[in-house]
Amino acid sequence: MGVMRRIAMGPGTYDPVTYGHLDIIERASRLFDEVFVAVTDGSFKKTPMFSTDERVAFVREAAAELGLANVRVGGFNCLVTEQARSVGAVAVVKGLRATSDFDYEFQMAQINKHLASEIETVYLPATPKYSFISSSGIREVAAWGGDVEAFVPPRVALALRERSPRLATAARQGTGHSD
């Protein structure tokens, strides 16, 4: 009988990936044999700024730059539990910034446990220096021309700068991107 590899999955929109996300991914990569970062195609709550392919590429590049050899990245468009099963995950890893994150994530963990009782949910608290970072906040700062380089990898900052002049103009005209 072979040795079972402990695979974790980190699902999210990663729109865009932030240093907070990467901190959770890196820490999870030390706890599990493999981490599959599952980038969702979208959700009922929001329309992503970047395409799934762009978001996958941003996460993949950042993980490689961090030397995270046991991290794989891919897109998905199904229930989190279905994707977790398809990659052989024993756990879903979620980062928590505040109690409001816990309230939402706890509800989702209960639903996921009902759908896939064999898959655990593991919460990692945000490192304090990243606890205030959110993708929606980063998009907002970038839309108004603010500097986001302290919060996201260089390639993501460049992509936000390239895309954001349109967002700032649209927001001033009352047709801005909303979360």
Side-chain angles (χ1 to χ4, degrees), residues 33-110:
D33 298 317
E34 183 179 312
V35 175
F36 182 81
V37 179
V39 179
T40 184
D41 283 343
S43 76
F44 292 107
K45 295 190 304 184
K46 54 189 164 186
T47 302
M49 172 188 275
F50 295 102
S51 72
T52 304
D53 288 343
E54 288 172 309
R55 291 178 284 131
V56 165
F58 292 153
V59 177
R60 193 173 281 148
E61 179 179 299
E65 286 176 2
L66 291 171
L68 303 179
N70 65 334
V71 172
R72 292 186 302 131
V73 185
F76 80 104
N77 190 18
C78 60
L79 289 170
V80 166
T81 51
E82 289 176 11
Q83 183 64 23
R85 280 180 175 143
S86 77
V87 299
V90 298
V92 170
V93 174
K94 299 296 289 187
L96 300 176
R97 294 170 296 189
T99 57
S100 57
D101 285 349
F102 177 78
D103 289 342
Y104 173 77
E105 295 298 346
F106 185 76
Q107 291 174 16
M108 294 308 301
Q110 296 304 308

Side-chain angles (χ1 to χ4, degrees), residues 126-150:
T127 298
K129 70 179 180 177
Y130 300 125
S131 64
F132 66 94
I133 298 175
S134 69
S135 292
S136 59
I138 299 306
R139 290 192 310 269
E140 182 81 12
V141 169
W144 291 102
D147 182 7
V148 297
E149 291 191 14

